[in-house]
Every structure is written in structure tokens, then in C-alpha cells.
């Protein structure tokens, strides 16, 4: 705490260091912290076997979420929309996994549930010209409440769904390729979505910067009136972005219940949506920047899970690691990010 206060004083009160220097120092602290748990504490297993899968699992659900957040912001809608609504998507994934026994079908159904919430938000904000932040806040309350209500109605007043059989979850990419218990099996054999999200992030970048639709999307976020004068259907672009964004948010929520754990619980979404918002700001509202930020937050989640295997440090302090890093990232970089000019502003189509 004392070191953090001194660091803040030197960087902001006295303006001694540049942002690049502060970033390098921050990563140095993270590397030193990781090295301590890697080399000093004995877990009785190979460290890579534990840490690398946790790193991918921590990054994947957030990377899926940032793709939808980035496209919402770039189209001109605010990004305080779906953080807690991911709960209903996680619930949908768990229920459909139990019902169908197929992880991919459950994954897709959760995406459709997210798209439905996106449609509701788009209708309220675009067609009805509702205050976008208020509408997003309402959805954040609606998602967890609806998930808890349906769970109790469907499972004998229980707030948790039954645990899923491993065959109902998402498959692992290299299942059966490497010998069980081997180094490569433990390191690389993680859930397939953990690798697919990197492809998804690249596709998002390509659409944003290399296609006509991406140019329209970014232009609508900056100056929708000018876009309308050029014949671009602003409502269509925004509806498309918000619905697709909701779909991808649904995939992010489902990853938690179909891969990270094996059931739905009310506390299953513990801030991943808000961390995704921080990643978008930290990444300066670009897909590639947000993906890098998600890798950092995934690294912190891996450190938290790795450190939790030991009793050297209080579990309460360890659980704070991703959120403390999130706050630090926001404090250091929120002023450096450029928000689209039309973000949060109501647009009314001319007659």
C-alpha cells in the first residue's frame, strides 16, 4: 500500500515519469510477483502445467466480451451496457448444456440469448431514443434477476444448476492427442474456445479496418449526422452492431459455465464484464489493443489461481489481484483513450 501511494505521488502529483516508463515498471512488478510464486513456492507439480491453462482460461471469456464492447462503442453507444447481463448468458449455457448434452449447441444458444438482450437494448436506445446509460443499467439488473428467477423455478428453488457431466461442456482442442499426464497435454490441452477467440479478435480487427462496413461503423460512432447525409443507414449499422455484440457477449458468459466451471451459480460472473470494459479503455477502443489488455488481465487471473494453491498469502488478498490491476490500468490510461465523439448521444433520424 505504501509503495502504491508513493508510486501514485511520483507519477501524478510530481509528473516525474512518462506513461511508457510507468507501464514498464508495472509489468516489472507483475513479473517479479509471478517469479516469486513460480520459483519460491512448491506446489508439487510442474508449474507450467498449472499456470498456462489458467492463463488461457482467464483470457478467453474476457476477449470474447471485449469484441462486443468495442463494436458497441465504435458505433456510438455507451459501453456500460452488458457487464452483469452476462449472468443470464452463463445460465442459458448451463441449462442448454444439461438439456442437450452438447457443449457447442449450448454455446450457440447462449449467444442467441445475448443477441435477444442486444435487440432489447437496441430497440430502447435507437428506436425509442431512451437514455442509453439508463437502458444499459436496466439490462444489468434484468439479466442477473431473470437468471436467478428462472433457476429457482426450474430446479426446485435452488439458485444453482446441477453440475454438468464433462461430455456436456465445451470440448478441449487436443483431447487424446498427447498422452494423459504429459507436459504438452497439461499445457496445450485447454478448451477449444480459448484458441478460437484469437481468431475472432483478428476477424474483428479485419472487419473494423479493412471492410466498408467497418468504415461505416467507425464513421457512425464519430458523426452519425454526416453519415446520414451520405446515405448510410445509421439505425441499421447500430442495430447490427448491438445485436452482434449481444451475441458475442452471450458467448463470453457461456464460456464461464461451459468451460471454466461446470454449473451456473449466482456468483459465477464475478466482474468479468467490468474487466472487459476496463480492457476496452486500456486498449484505446480498438480490437487489437483490447485483446492485449485481456491477455494482461488473463495473466493476472492465472497468477491469482496459481497463488491460491498456497497458504503463504491470504486468499482474500489473492482474489483481489485482477481487480487491483484493472483499477490501476484505468487510473493510468483512461485519460489517454479517445472515445468516439457520438458515444452516448441520442441520434434522431431526419424526416
Amino acid at each position: 500500500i505504501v509503495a502504491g501511494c508513493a508510486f501514485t505521488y511520483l507519477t501524478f502529483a510530481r509528473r516525474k515519469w512518462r506513461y511508457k516508463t510507468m507501464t514498464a515498471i508495472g509489468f516489472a512488478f507483475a513479473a517479479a510477483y509471478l517469479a516469486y510464486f513460480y520459483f519460491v513456492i512448491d506446489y508439487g507439480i510442474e508449474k507450467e502445467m498449472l499456470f498456462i491453462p489458467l492463463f488461457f482460461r482467464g483470457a478467453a471469456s474476457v476477449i470474447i466480451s471485449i469484441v462486443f464492447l468495442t463494436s458497441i462503442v465504435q458505433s456510438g453507444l455507451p459501453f456500460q451496457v452488458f457487464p452483469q447481463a452476462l449472468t443470464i448468458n452463463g445460465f442459458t449455457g448451463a441449462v442448454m448444456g444439461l438439456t442437450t448434452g452438447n457443449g457447442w449447441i449450448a454455446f450457440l444458444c447462449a449467444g442467441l440469448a445475448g443477441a435477444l438482450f442486444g435487440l432489447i437494448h437496441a430497440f430502447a436506445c435507437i428506436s425509442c431514443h431512451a437514455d442509453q446509460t439508463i437502458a444499459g443499467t436496466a439490462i444489468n439488473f434484468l439479466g442477473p434477476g431473470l437468471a436467478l428467477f428462472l433457476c429457482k423455478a426450474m430446479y426446485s428453488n435452488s439458485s444453482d444448476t446441477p453440475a454438468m457431466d464433462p461430455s456436456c461442456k465445451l470440448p478441449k482442442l487436443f483431447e487424446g492427442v498427447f498422452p494423459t499426464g504429459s507436459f504438452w497435454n497439461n499445457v496445450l490441452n485447454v478448451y477449444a474456445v480459448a484458441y478460437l477467440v484469437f481468431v475472432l479478435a483478428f476477424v474483428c480487427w479485419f472487419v473494423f479496418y479493412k471492410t466498408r462496413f467497418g468504415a461505416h461503423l467507425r464513421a457512425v460512432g464519430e458523426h452519425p449526422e454526416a453519415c446520414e447525409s451520405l446515405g448510410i443507414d445509421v439505425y441499421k449499422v447500430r442495430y447490427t452492431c448491438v445485436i452482434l455484440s449481444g451475441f458475442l457477449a452471450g458467448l463470453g458468459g457461456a464460456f464461464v459455465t461451459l468451460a471454466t466451471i461446470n454449473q451456473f451459480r449466482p456468483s459465477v460472473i464475478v466482474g468479468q464484464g467490468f474487466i472487459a470494459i476496463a480492457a476496452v479503455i486500456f486498449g484505446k477502443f480498438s480490437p487489437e489493443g483490447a485483446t492485449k489488455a485481456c491477455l494482461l488481465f488473463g495473466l493476472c487471473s492465472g497468477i491469482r489461481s496459481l497463488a491460491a494453491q498456497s497458504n503463504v498469502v491470504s486468499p482474500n488478498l489473492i482474489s483481489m489481484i485482477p481487480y487491483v490491476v484493472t483499477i490501476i490500468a484505468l487510473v493510468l490510461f483512461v485519460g489517454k483513450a479517445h472515445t468516439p465523439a457520438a458515444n452516448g448521444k441520442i441520434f434522431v433520424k431526419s424526416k
Side-chain angles (χ1 to χ4, degrees), residues 317-329:
L317 292 176
I318 292 173
S319 63
M320 293 169 56
I321 294 174
Y323 310 104
V324 170
V325 173
T326 301
I327 293 173
I328 293 174

Side-chain angles (χ1 to χ4, degrees), residues 163 181 211 237 309 311 330:
T211 65
V237 172
Q309 304 296 318
N311 295 323
L330 287 175

Side-chain angles (χ1 to χ4, degrees), residues 27-87:
F27 274 101
F29 274 116
Y33 191 74
L34 176 61
Y36 170 75
F37 285 103
Y38 189 90
F39 294 108
V40 176
I41 301 176
D42 182 19
Y43 299 96
I45 60 174
E46 298 234 16
K47 312 292 179 66
E48 297 86 350
M49 296 183 179
L50 176 64
F51 178 73
I52 296 179
L54 290 174
F55 167 76
F56 278 110
R57 288 169 61 184
S61 62
V62 183
I63 289 180
I64 295 177
S65 300
I66 60 94
V67 176
F68 93 84
L69 279 170
T70 307
S71 81
I72 281 184
V73 175
Q74 292 286 4
S75 67
L77 294 183
F79 49 86
Q80 301 92 340
V81 180
F82 293 116
Q84 289 300 110
L86 294 176
T87 307

Side-chain angles (χ1 to χ4, degrees), residues 18 21 44 86 90 98 100 120 152 162 165 205 226 255 269 318 321 337:
R18 296 178 180 272
T21 305
L86 294 176
L98 291 167
T100 64
I120 295 172
K152 288 191 173 184
D165 186 83
W205 171 85
F255 181 85
I269 304 296
I318 292 173
I321 294 174

Side-chain angles (χ1 to χ4, degrees), residues 34 38 45-60 174 183-191 194-195 198 255 295 298-306:
L34 176 61
Y38 189 90
I45 60 174
E46 298 234 16
K47 312 292 179 66
E48 297 86 350
M49 296 183 179
L50 176 64
F51 178 73
I52 296 179
L54 290 174
F55 167 76
F56 278 110
R57 288 169 61 184
F174 296 108
F183 173 83
W184 293 111
N185 183 71
N186 286 289
V187 170
L188 299 179
N189 190 25
V190 298
Y191 292 97
Y195 293 101
F198 294 99
F255 181 85
L295 293 177
L299 174 69
C300 296
S301 296
I303 293 175
R304 178 186 63 180
S305 301
L306 183 64

Side-chain angles (χ1 to χ4, degrees), residues 192-210:
V193 177
Y195 293 101
L196 292 178
V197 290
F198 294 99
V199 178
L200 180 62
F202 172 78
V203 170
C204 182
W205 171 85
F206 184 84
V207 170
F208 271 36
Y209 300 111
K210 301 297 180 180

